[in-house]
């Protein structure tokens, strides 16, 4: 058995991709190049700003409805303390 | 004059929303803290976007871009945005399936120990109160500059208004007002960006002119490594920051929560990019040499728009401040009335519980107001340090508590104490080996979790099974 609980393959790939992209963006060489007068580091950050949530939006919206759990409503008077 | 009437009308609407929500929320903790877990995806997305877009991100983003240039400003805001996909993947669905209220609820469920039960809400109260004070200061400064209202008067009126609607309307009122505030912000930022882009002939016309006239505006000598601390603080804070976790709990189901998080972040990203790439360049071109960079937004609005739109701009800044502060106020109140006093209050009547929630909200709001009357200097650094404390203490226990099968009581308590303790120590003593507090605290918190998980006593079978059920849909 794996030491970790299972994560959907596409989400694992997105997580690794995000971490890799962020790491590359912070490499010193990326800050020295410019496009349209703006540092490449700035464009990497702009891509993260829009691209990372857009990617996850695509992933989540393509999930099948059936995988969504039904609403688990807590007892209004238990202070939310019951599991 | 019209500016004052618009702002007054806006504040009255907020109070009215709180009054209307009272009947629904006062009899039920579930309604009060998480709006009955019935908030739809689009409404939740707008509310999350509004609570993310603070006064700092409306006024401050343009001031920062004006002073420090485009790449540095983007680095500061990208960390928070990357935090949302991380929250989506790592915590949103399991926390929503747990069907509780707060991040403390999860940690106590996962690591039932007195240290966790007491230290977590304390971390939340300290870090979020600092953030609230910063927001209130932003509201006071803006109202003073644009409306001519005294700083103390402005923050007192704004605080009384949002404490009123939060204390009586709970999460329902916070959600409704946040939706209004989010829409107002998005429309104002969009209208400003489009108007300026049209007047400069193309979307990037002003950007091209500004980077040609002031090359430093587009550059970041030495790359982004100097901003890594800030990036990591926000990226690791969002998955555990209490007001976002409470928003996840308001969603109808895990999928809706995950969709809302990312819809909100796309909207927020569009606003921030519009501000940095389309509006800030106009400030650099038309208002060079401003002594107060934070005034650039107000200068642009004043120079390009009529009085009624300037009134809307003030209302939008107040909306940005209030939509963040109300969410934080609710989160801090929940840390007091639910996390710290929950066991005691559970034995009291629903009426007594409701009274305790009200009192906690007023006490927290009043304390923040008194502090905001004479706020410390270097507030941005101060509240970022507060948020860093939260992520240093909570990120590893939460994420590993959800995903690592060997996470146990010893590992969770050790990781929480080590993360918060080391962060505070490095903050006080200065960087270790050139690394800022968060870059030292997070790895050591992880090491503590691994040591506790490897050599500590394994969790009972029942707890492991309960954690496994949080993943049952994956």
């Amino acid at each position: 058995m794996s030491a970790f609980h299972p994560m959907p393959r596409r989400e694992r790939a997105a997580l690794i991709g995000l971490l890799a992209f962020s790491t590359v963006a912070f490499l010193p060489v990326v800050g020295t190049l410019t496009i349209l007068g703006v540092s490449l580091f700035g464009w990497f950050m702009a891509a993260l700003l829009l691209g990372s949530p857009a990617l996850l939006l695509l992933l989540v919206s393509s999930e099948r409805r059936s995988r969504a759990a039904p609403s688990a409503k807590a007892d209004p008077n238990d202070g939310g303390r019951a599991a | 004059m019209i500016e004052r009437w618009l702002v007054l009308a806006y504040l009255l609407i907020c109070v009215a929303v709180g009054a209307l929500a009272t009947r629904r929320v006062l009899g039920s903790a579930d309604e009060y803290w998480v709006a009955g877990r019935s908030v739809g995806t689009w409404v939740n997305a707008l509310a999350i976007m509004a609570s993310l877009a603070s006064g700092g991100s409306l006024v401050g983003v343009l001031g920062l871009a004006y002073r420090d240039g485009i790449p540095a400003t983007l680095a500061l805001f990208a960390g928070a945005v990357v935090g949302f996909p991380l929250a989506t993947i790592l915590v949103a669905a399991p926390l929503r399936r747990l069907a509780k209220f707060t991040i403390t609820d999860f940690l106590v469920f996962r690591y039932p120990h007195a240290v966790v039960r007491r230290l977590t809400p304390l971390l939340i109260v300290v870090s979020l109160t600092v953030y609230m004070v910063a927001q209130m200061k932003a509201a006071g400064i803006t109202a003073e500059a644009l409306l001519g209202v005294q700083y103390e008067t402005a923050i007192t009126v704004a605080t009384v208004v949002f404490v009123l609607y939060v204390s009586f309307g709970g999460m329902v009122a916070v959600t409704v007002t946040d939706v209004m505030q989010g829409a107002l912000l998005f429309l104002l930022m969009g209208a400003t960006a489009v108007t300026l882009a049209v007047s400069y002939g193309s979307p990037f016309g002003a950007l091209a002119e500004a980077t040609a006239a002031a090359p430093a505006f587009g550059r970041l000598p030495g790359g982004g490594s100097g901003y890594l601390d800030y990036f990591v603080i926000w990226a690791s804070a969002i998955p555990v920051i209490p007001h976002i976790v409470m928003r996840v709990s308001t969603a109808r189901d895990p999928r809706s929560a995950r969709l809302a998080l990312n819809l909100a972040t796309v909207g927020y990203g569009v606003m921030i990019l519009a501000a940095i790439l389309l509006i800030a360049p106009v400030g650099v071109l038309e208002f060079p040499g401003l002594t107060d960079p934070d005034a650039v937004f107000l200068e642009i609005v004043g120079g390009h728009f009529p009085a009624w739109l300037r009134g809307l701009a003030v209302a939008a800044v107040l909306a940005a401040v209030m939509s963040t502060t109300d969410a934080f106020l609710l989160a801090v109140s929940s840390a007091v009335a639910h996390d710290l006093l929950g066991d005691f209050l559970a034995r009291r009547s629903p009426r007594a519980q409701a009274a305790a929630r009200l009192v906690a909200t007023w006490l927290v709001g009043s304390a923040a107001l008194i502090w905001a009357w004479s706020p410390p200097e270097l507030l941005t650094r101060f509240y970022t340090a507060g948020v860093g404390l939260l992520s240093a203490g909570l990120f590893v226990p939460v994420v590993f508590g959800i995903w690592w099968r060997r996470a146990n009581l010893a590992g969770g308590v050790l990781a929480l104490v080590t993360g918060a303790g080391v962060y505070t120590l490095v903050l006080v003593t200065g960087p270790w080996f050139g690394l800022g507090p968060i870059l030292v605290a997070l790895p050591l918190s992880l090491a503590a979790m691994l040591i506790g998980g490897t050599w500590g006593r394994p969790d009972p079978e029942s707890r492991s099974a309960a954690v496994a059920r949080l993943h049952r849909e994956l």
Side-chain angles (χ1 to χ4, degrees):
Chain A
M1 187 195 293
S2 163
F4 291 92
H5 290 282
M7 181 183 283
R9 193 180 303 163
R10 291 193 310 166
E11 292 188 13
R12 195 165 55 222
L15 186 62
I16 293 168
L18 265 179
L19 294 177
F21 192 87
S22 303
T23 306
V24 170
F26 279 94
L27 293 176
V29 68
V30 177
T32 59
L33 308 170
T34 60
I35 296 173
L36 289 173
V38 176
S39 157
L40 188 56
F41 170 75
W43 291 116
F44 268 58
M45 290 294 114
L48 272 177
L49 260 170
L50 264 191
S52 58
L55 172 71
L56 262 292
L57 195 56
L58 279 177
L59 278 183
V60 178
S61 59
S62 65
E63 270 177 4
R64 276 173 307 170
R65 261 322 252 176
S66 58
R67 276 185 43 198
S71 174
K73 225 170 168 167
D75 179 351
N77 293 316
D78 75 349
R81 307 191 86 74
Chain B
M1 195 60 186
I2 190 169
E3 294 98 319
R4 289 191 185 194
W5 284 111
L6 276 168
V7 171
L8 186 65
Y10 164 74
L11 293 176
L12 288 175
I13 289 172
C14 290
V15 174
V17 167
L20 288 173
T22 305
R23 182 180 292 269
R24 177 175 159 185
V25 304
L26 279 189
S28 157
D30 208 43
E31 291 285 354
Y32 189 86
W33 296 126
V34 290
R37 303 179 204 277
S38 59
V39 179
T41 304
W42 286 96
V43 169
N44 217 2
L46 256 179
I48 293 170
M49 189 189 79
S51 57
L52 186 59
S54 63
S57 36
L58 190 66
V59 175
V61 68
L62 289 161
L64 265 175
Y66 181 90
R67 193 189 64 194
D68 295 344
I70 290 173
T73 312
L74 283 167
L76 295 184
F77 285 85
V81 168
V82 168
F84 278 83
L86 291 184
T88 306
I89 295 172
L90 296 175
V91 304
L95 288 187
R96 177 60 189 83
R97 285 188 194 108
L98 188 64
K100 296 211 176 188
F101 297 151
T102 65
I103 194 73
T104 310
D105 283 338
F106 169 75
L107 285 169
V108 171
F109 151 80
R110 190 65 186 83
Y111 314 110
H113 191 278
V115 169
V116 177
R117 195 170 283 126
R118 300 288 169 241
L119 184 57
T120 309
L122 278 179
L123 289 176
I124 292 169
V125 169
V126 169
S127 58
L128 294 195
T129 304
V130 168
Y131 206 138
M132 278 199 298
V133 171
Q135 293 300 312
M136 287 151 79
K137 184 182 176 186
I141 291 171
T142 306
E144 194 172 37
L146 282 186
L147 300 178
V149 180
Q150 233 188 349
Y151 171 85
E152 289 81 3
T153 310
I155 59 169
T156 305
V157 171
T159 304
V160 168
V161 168
F162 68 69
V163 172
L164 263 176
Y165 73 73
V166 171
S167 61
F168 286 100
M171 183 58 95
V172 173
V174 168
T175 302
V176 175
T177 53
D178 280 6
V179 166
M180 292 184 332
Q181 291 154 354
L184 181 61
L185 274 173
F186 198 81
L187 285 176
L188 184 90
M189 204 61 123
T192 308
V194 170
T195 306
L196 295 176
V198 169
S199 71
Y200 275 82
S202 78
F204 294 110
L207 176 66
E209 284 185 38
T211 51
F217 180 57
R219 293 191 186 150
L220 188 66
S225 54
Y227 294 88
L228 188 59
D229 256 34
Y230 202 102
F231 184 91
V232 172
I233 282 178
W234 281 102
S236 56
I238 295 294
V240 298
I241 205 162
H243 71 298
I244 298 297
V245 171
M246 287 176 84
R247 277 258 149 248
V248 166
S249 299
T250 66
R252 280 199 289 249
D253 55 50
R255 184 174 183 271
S256 173
R258 283 151 55 91
L259 278 174
L261 281 175
N262 289 288
L263 275 170
T265 321
V266 169
Y268 180 73
V270 168
M271 276 204 310
I272 294 296
L273 281 181
I276 296 175
L277 299 178
L278 303 178
I279 303 175
V282 174
V284 170
L285 286 170
E286 297 184 7
F287 305 100
L290 287 177
T291 49
D292 178 10
D294 284 342
V296 69
F297 174 66
L298 310 175
E299 293 284 354
I300 292 170
V301 171
H304 284 263
F305 300 110
W308 68 270
L309 207 55
R310 289 202 295 274
L312 270 188
V314 185
V317 173
L318 278 180
V321 169
M322 290 170 72
S323 58
T324 304
T325 317
D326 62 12
F328 280 12
L329 178 63
L330 196 66
V332 178
S333 306
S334 71
V336 176
H338 177 70
D339 299 339
L340 282 173
L341 303 176
D343 287 334
F344 170 75
L345 290 173
R347 296 190 293 273
R348 301 290 181 271
S349 68
R351 185 182 285 270
Q353 291 178 25
R357 291 194 292 266
L358 270 176
V359 170
T361 308
W362 278 95
L363 280 180
V364 171
S366 305
L369 175 62
I370 290 167
W371 195 2
W373 277 334
S374 52
E377 290 183 10
L378 297 175
L379 217 48
T380 308
R381 195 177 295 172
F382 203 54
Y383 78 67
T384 301
V387 174
L389 176 66
L390 205 59
S391 51
L394 305 189
F395 184 78
V396 171
V398 169
V399 171
F400 275 70
I402 290 173
W403 291 99
W404 194 38
R405 290 185 201 271
R406 296 183 72 167
N408 58 3
L409 183 62
V413 174
L414 273 176
L416 174 65
V417 173
T418 305
V422 169
Y423 184 88
T424 309
L425 192 63
V426 181
L427 202 62
V428 172
T429 59
W432 290 7
F433 309 107
L435 297 173
I438 193 73
L439 298 179
V440 179
L442 273 184
L444 288 182
S445 175
L446 174 59
M449 169 61 82
L450 295 178
I451 289 168
T454 305
W455 285 289
R457 185 190 300 169
D459 275 347
E461 194 58 40
S462 59
R463 196 177 309 140
S464 303
V467 174
R469 280 197 294 276
L470 301 180
H471 297 271
R472 70 182 187 274
E473 301 301 327
L474 296 175

